[in-house]
Amino acid sequence: MKAVYLDYASLDQQDLDFQALHAAFDPLVLYPTTSAAEIASRVAEVEVIISNKVLIDAATIQQCPELKLILISATGSNNVDLAAAKARGIVVCNCQAYGTSAVAQHTLMLMLNLATSFLSYQHALQQGQWQKSSQFCLLDAPIVELAGKTLGIVGYGELGHAVAKLAEAFGMKVLIAALPNRPADASRVAFTELLAQVDFLSLHCPLTEDTRHLISHAELEAMKPSAFLINCARGGIVDEAALAQALREGQIAGAATDVLTVEPPKEGNVLLDATIPNLIVTPHNAWGSVDARQRIVNQMVENIEAFKNGQPIRQVN
């Protein structure tokens, strides 16, 4: 089967093994990136398209008479016109649950950095404050322990479960939020009630109309002044202007986010202002361990082999 990977550089940093993926096709052509103007010529004669973020719309699908399979090297399928693919009998498969351990680890890393005022102490060290200290240690910024603290988790799917397990290993009490417009569940705490109880609030829910700006002015005001917010979900779940204001005014103790509403933030973002106190921003790389990225490659191999055997897996259309 002839295949093309339109944007492999979004996955590979020259540290992944593509041998099995190459072996699954005859041939597989790799492009680091593909612009909109280049798509048509690169996919015209292939049977399989692999894409992470390159748009495969109805027009593109119609231009590919030999196309049989689209492999998405990610979970989200919004870059593929699924209806157009289905109408043509083209199977679309994605990758799933590849980054659970990586994102859970990143979430705890952010929590630990906030709890220990890590960035503040690194800055103090770089500025020579320890070297000038009259005492053997610096204790200028607050340090709190995770043990005994309450973690609220919003979104209790695979990621939420993984974060809860790690948090419990640190001795934390875990509360699960009941999301708006979801069926009642006795094991979960009403979202508005949970906000006032937690020392850490960690977001792991999808971005939907129900969760857009789920955290805004009122929710931040409802949290403890000593509480921390962590967002490793989607940028639009948090009202970024409201968070910036809350941190400046001390409504909460700190926050960390791995996501912004527009990525990459080429036009800037209110949360990239270095004067905002006790805010950590990471560049949407929580998922990106070498292990997780290799898992994507391995799952794509599984997907193509299952397709060849007439039993597609991870099919999204």
Side-chain angles (χ1 to χ4, degrees):
M1 299 181 75
K2 296 180 180 180
V4 61
Y5 195 161
L6 296 175
D7 53 352
Y8 81 88
S10 63
L11 183 68
D12 185 30
Q13 299 298 312
Q14 306 301 314
D15 54 358
L16 301 182
D17 182 359
F18 278 78
Q19 184 174 350
L21 193 63
H22 276 287
F25 300 105
D26 183 23
L28 169 63
V29 179
L30 300 176
Y31 293 103
T33 61
T34 297
S35 68
E38 295 170 325
I39 297 173
S41 62
R42 292 181 175 181
V43 303
E45 299 179 358
V46 302
E47 297 167 272
V48 181
I49 295 174
I50 305 176
S51 172
N52 185 337
K53 295 295 186 286
V54 175
L55 179 64
I56 311 300
D57 58 15
T60 299
I61 291 170
Q62 291 304 316
Q63 293 168 0
C64 302
E66 303 301 321
L67 187 61
K68 297 178 177 65
L69 175 67
I70 298 172
L71 296 178
I72 304 171
S73 57
T75 299
S77 58
N78 57 302
N79 63 317
V80 176
D81 190 322
L82 298 179
K86 186 173 183 179
R88 278 274 315 277
I90 297 165
V91 173
V92 182
C93 299
N94 69 352
C95 298
Q96 301 170 10
Y98 50 83
T100 300
S101 295
V103 176
Q105 171 181 288
H106 195 90
T107 301
L108 265 292
M109 178 274 292
L110 294 175
M111 290 172 60
L112 288 164
N113 271 272
L114 290 170
T116 59
S117 294
F118 180 80
L119 293 184
S120 294
Y121 283 110
Q122 283 295 291
H123 180 72
L125 185 63
Q126 292 163 3
Q127 296 298 311
Q129 294 181 32
W130 190 24
Q131 297 88 318
K132 301 172 186 176
S133 175
S134 60
Q135 303 296 330
F136 72 96
C137 63
L138 288 181
L139 292 173
D140 298 341
I143 300 170
V144 299
E145 298 176 359
L146 298 189
K149 300 299 189 296
T150 298
L151 169 65
I153 293 180
V154 182
Y156 199 50
E158 183 162 343
L159 278 171
H161 276 84
V163 170
K165 184 177 180 180
L166 293 178
E168 288 168 349
F170 276 90
M172 301 186 80
K173 175 184 177 182
V174 177
L175 299 179
I176 310 303
L179 283 168
N181 299 322
R182 295 286 183 87
D185 186 331
S187 67
R188 304 193 177 194
V189 181
F191 180 63
T192 53
E193 296 178 13
L194 178 137
L195 290 173
Q197 299 180 45
V198 299
D199 301 297
F200 292 82
L201 184 67
S202 191
L203 308 179
H204 301 284
C205 56
L207 176 61
T208 67
E209 287 309 307
D210 288 333
T211 62
R212 188 177 300 278
H213 283 191
L214 182 68
I215 306 296
S216 192
H217 294 283
E219 292 73 26
L220 291 163
E221 290 175 356
M223 294 172 66
K224 299 176 184 178
S226 58
F228 299 95
L229 172 68
I230 298 93
N231 185 10
C232 285
R234 288 291 181 266
I237 296 170
V238 175
D239 180 336
E240 292 164 340
L243 177 58
Q245 180 180 337
L247 290 169
R248 291 186 188 282
E249 296 179 357
Q251 290 177 355
I252 61 172
T257 184
D258 185 55
V259 288
L260 298 175
T261 50
V262 177
E263 300 170 342
K266 294 181 179 179
E267 303 300 322
N269 184 287
V270 65
L271 294 183
L272 297 180
D273 187 334
T275 65
I276 299 174
N278 215 13
L279 172 65
I280 301 171
V281 180
T282 55
H284 202 148
N285 63 352
W287 68 278
S289 69
V290 64
D291 313 81
R293 290 182 286 112
Q294 185 64 52
R295 212 169 283 129
I296 290 175
V297 176
N298 298 345
Q299 286 190 14
M300 288 195 293
V301 174
E302 294 170 357
N303 288 349
I304 182 60
E305 295 301 334
F307 175 80
K308 289 178 179 179
N309 292 329
Q311 297 180 322
I313 57 176
R314 305 186 185 98
Q315 186 172 348
V316 295
N317 70 333

